[in-house]
Amino acid sequence: MSTINLEDYKGYRGVALNTLQKFKTPIWSDVEILTDEGSFKGLILPRSETADEFHIVLKMPIGYNIGIAAEKIKDVKIFGRKEAHYKIPEKDFPYDPKKPNVKLLGTGGTIASRLDYRTGAVIPAFSPGELYGSVPELADICNLDTEKLYGVFSENMGPEQWIGLAEAIGREIEKGVQGIVIGHGTDTMHHTAAILSFMVQDSPVPIVMVGSQRSSDRPSSDAALNLIHSVTTAAISDIAEVMVCMFGPTSDMYGLLHRGTRVRKMHSSYRSTFRTIGDIPIATVSRDKVTPIRDDYKRRRFDNDVKVNAVFDDRVAIVYYYPNMKPDMIDSLIDNGYKGIVIAGTGLGHVNKPLYPALKRAKEKGVAVYMTVQTLWGYVQMYVYDTGRDMMELGVIPAANMLPEVAYMKLGWAFGQTNDLEKVKEIMLTPIAGEITEREPSNGYLIYQGGLPEVEEFIKQYRK
Ligand code: ASP
């Protein structure tokens, strides 16, 4: 009896494993699979151990993966075997004394993974050599040094990582780098951008967050171009702020640089997912140029001075109000010792009347409650309706046009510094990095928000 090497069928079990063995097709077999519903060509990929036992994963020649129900497979033609090489050839990143020095700090996310099928086949990306091997253009822009701080998907970022990141940025600036790039998962990139905008102030150099919506083994990956754009920004732009750099339009025409406190991930799968909310972005970026579209940004300086205040008290929460919310949602936060609550209210900043006693109790117990708006665009206005006025009487503090996630980050940062509620209020309502603005530009709602120029272009395609 021959023994099976499970490595040849990595991750597969049950029906899927039996089917692969029956057709003698270990992983990396180049095959055509015949099913009731048609035939599919591609490479059999390893499977995640935690995935179900009913499907076989095939990487199609166009680069996308599909799952095929094992029980529907009638026959398999085998053409050969093409084992994927996880390792990108490492090349020494060339050093050119005339080029600026940029530091890339990696935290994880899709941009750091290639062929990550959760089977162990993850590239330990972010070594300079690997990055140079996969995106050689980076060497034309700067001398890039890299450091992997964390390797997590961004839902796992938290106070420990935010603080570690802010401190690492401070160290690099003091050492004299000309720009910093942070590789990060896109899902919570705007949370981290907000907290870094508060923790790292008066940076002399650009601090650019970058990610990718599609991993670099997919033909439509945005990883390489986003990296080129962000490294260009860090190396040559004179915008010394915390920014997010991602696709502008749905095409690869240009990238946008968004202010760290006004940016939000707005689409679960588009590459142009990040949008500036309540304002317009700071600049566009192409492969070799950064073009500001406003001029009220902090300019690059040629010193190494930066203020790092890396503190966060995690006894704060966001409550997303929904109709019929019960007061026990607020009560449980009070009873669990939370110090501050950010409410994302409806319309101009409202919640229902049954919540009032809980809000009153929050005030009595010294829990700070701030109001933001679910509409994201626009300001909290608590003088317009009775509801708003009632809530202010109950001690709810309007947070102007701070985005809910930004207010949450700022509240944690404020409580990290003091428990004095008046001081917390002063910190919350004093704009530090564009999180509260005097007014929204009238064209901000339309332009560059997947807005007019792109829509026009799109429509033109169909109006021939
Ligand atoms: N889930 C991933 C993350 O945020 C998605 C991404 O990187 O785009 O880490």
Side-chain angles (χ1 to χ4, degrees):
M1 209 176 82
S2 65
T3 50
I4 310 156
N5 181 359
L6 279 180
E7 278 299 296
D8 285 343
Y9 297 93
K10 197 169 166 77
Y12 288 97
R13 52 200 168 84
V15 195
L17 177 63
N18 293 342
T19 310
L20 288 179
Q21 285 173 349
K22 177 171 133 200
F23 292 108
K24 300 201 171 43
T25 46
I27 58 169
W28 307 122
S29 298
D30 186 10
V31 295
E32 178 169 4
I33 296 185
L34 308 174
T35 75
D36 295 338
E37 286 154 23
S39 67
F40 304 92
K41 280 190 173 166
L43 273 189
I44 296 177
L45 291 179
R47 184 122 165 95
S48 161
E49 273 85 0
T50 52
D52 73 49
E53 58 184 73
F54 307 109
H55 293 87
I56 284 161
V57 187
L58 201 66
K59 181 169 213 68
M60 298 191 295
I62 54 165
Y64 286 93
N65 304 340
I66 51 166
I68 300 176
E71 59 175 30
K72 293 197 174 155
I73 298 178
K74 297 275 168 266
D75 198 8
V76 182
K77 283 190 207 155
I78 307 166
F79 304 111
R81 202 155 187 265
K82 281 191 195 160
E83 183 152 354
H85 292 288
Y86 303 146
K87 197 98 182 97
I88 305 171
E90 290 225 29
K91 293 195 205 158
D92 279 345
F93 203 97
Y95 179 77
D96 177 349
K98 292 194 288 303
K99 294 212 161 77
N101 298 323
V102 171
K103 180 85 180 201
L104 172 65
L105 299 168
T107 67
T110 301
I111 193 155
S113 47
R114 195 174 143 102
L115 285 175
D116 174 13
Y117 303 115
R118 308 195 66 188
T119 55
V122 184
I123 285 223
F126 281 123
S127 83
E130 277 181 332
L131 269 184
Y132 181 45
S134 52
V135 192
E137 293 96 322
L138 295 176
D140 300 333
I141 309 169
C142 64
N143 301 309
L144 191 70
D145 182 28
T146 67
E147 184 180 340
K148 181 179 163 187
L149 289 180
Y150 312 106
V152 296
F153 286 117
S154 69
E155 55 274 24
N156 300 309
M157 292 291 289
E160 186 191 325
Q161 291 77 15
W162 301 326
I163 290 170
L165 190 50
E167 286 171 346
I169 292 170
R171 274 197 305 275
E172 292 306 322
I173 292 175
E174 277 160 20
K175 276 193 233 154
V177 290
Q178 271 93 44
I180 291 183
V181 174
I182 298 156
H184 197 286
T186 57
D187 295 352
T188 71
M189 185 145 57
H190 52 290
H191 295 83
T192 304
I195 196 65
L196 291 180
S197 305
F198 302 131
M199 287 180 171
V200 183
Q201 286 177 42
D202 291 333
S203 168
V205 300
I207 300 171
V208 194
M209 300 201 63
V210 68
S212 71
Q213 278 281 78
R214 315 222 175 120
S215 57
S216 44
D217 56 322
R218 296 173 76 180
S220 60
S221 174
D222 46 341
L225 195 57
N226 285 341
L227 264 174
I228 293 169
H229 286 160
S230 57
V231 168
T232 300
T233 305
I236 65 167
S237 95
D238 72 335
I239 310 168
E241 294 197 19
V242 175
M243 294 170 272
V244 163
C245 173
M246 292 285 290
F247 263 44
T250 44
S251 72
D252 57 4
M253 245 154 41
Y254 56 88
L256 280 176
L257 296 174
H258 305 273
R259 184 161 276 151
T261 55
R262 297 240 60 97
V263 62
R264 202 166 185 283
K265 184 171 182 177
M266 297 300 284
H267 198 283
S268 62
S269 57
Y270 279 13
R271 294 172 302 180
S272 54
T273 173
F274 282 89
R275 295 291 156 212
T276 289
I277 310 290
D279 218 331
I280 57 170
I282 305 180
T284 60
V285 52
S286 60
R287 283 171 179 268
D288 55 1
K289 204 166 70 190
V290 175
T291 312
I293 47 184
R294 54 192 301 160
D295 65 6
D296 61 345
Y297 55 84
K298 293 190 179 146
R299 301 299 197 271
R300 184 190 279 279
R301 302 190 313 270
F302 296 91
D303 57 57
N304 302 349
D305 303 333
V306 59
K307 288 190 208 117
V308 177
N309 188 358
V311 290
F312 195 87
D313 187 327
D314 67 359
R315 301 269 84 194
V316 292
I318 303 186
V319 171
Y320 191 92
Y321 173 75
Y322 48 86
N324 199 35
M325 180 180 270
K326 305 283 193 293
D328 55 4
M329 298 290 290
I330 303 289
D331 282 328
S332 64
L333 290 172
I334 302 171
D335 295 340
N336 281 304
Y338 279 74
K339 295 179 181 173
I341 302 171
V342 171
I343 299 180
T346 53
L348 296 169
H350 300 144
V351 298
N352 63 8
K353 284 199 167 36
L355 249 51
Y356 289 8
L359 294 174
K360 187 159 176 256
R361 202 170 146 244
K363 186 176 181 193
E364 285 160 8
K365 299 266 178 193
V367 178
V369 182
Y370 285 83
M371 181 61 72
T372 60
V373 289
Q374 293 178 6
T375 56
L376 303 179
W377 283 83
Y379 291 75
V380 177
Q381 294 273 9
M382 298 182 76
Y383 288 103
V384 179
Y385 294 102
D386 282 352
T387 313
R389 290 167 186 265
D390 291 346
M391 279 192 297
M392 285 204 297
E393 297 246 311
L394 297 168
V396 176
I397 305 166
N401 68 337
M402 246 192 284
L403 293 166
E405 298 87 355
V406 175
Y408 162 76
M409 287 296 181
K410 199 174 183 193
L411 194 55
W413 180 68
F415 275 115
Q417 300 169 68
T418 176
N419 284 324
D420 177 334
L421 293 186
E422 274 311 305
K423 288 203 179 114
V424 167
K425 184 170 170 188
E426 195 186 318
I427 295 172
M428 283 299 281
L429 300 184
T430 308
I432 291 172
E435 72 279 20
I436 295 177
T437 56
E438 254 172 57
R439 67 185 72 86
E440 280 181 356
S442 53
N443 57 5
Y445 192 57
L446 295 174
I447 296 183
Y448 290 119
Q449 308 299 329
L452 289 177
E454 295 166 33
V455 172
E456 286 300 312
E457 281 306 310
F458 181 71
I459 290 172
K460 257 192 237 158
Q461 293 173 26
Y462 296 93
R463 246 199 234 137
K464 286 188 183 135

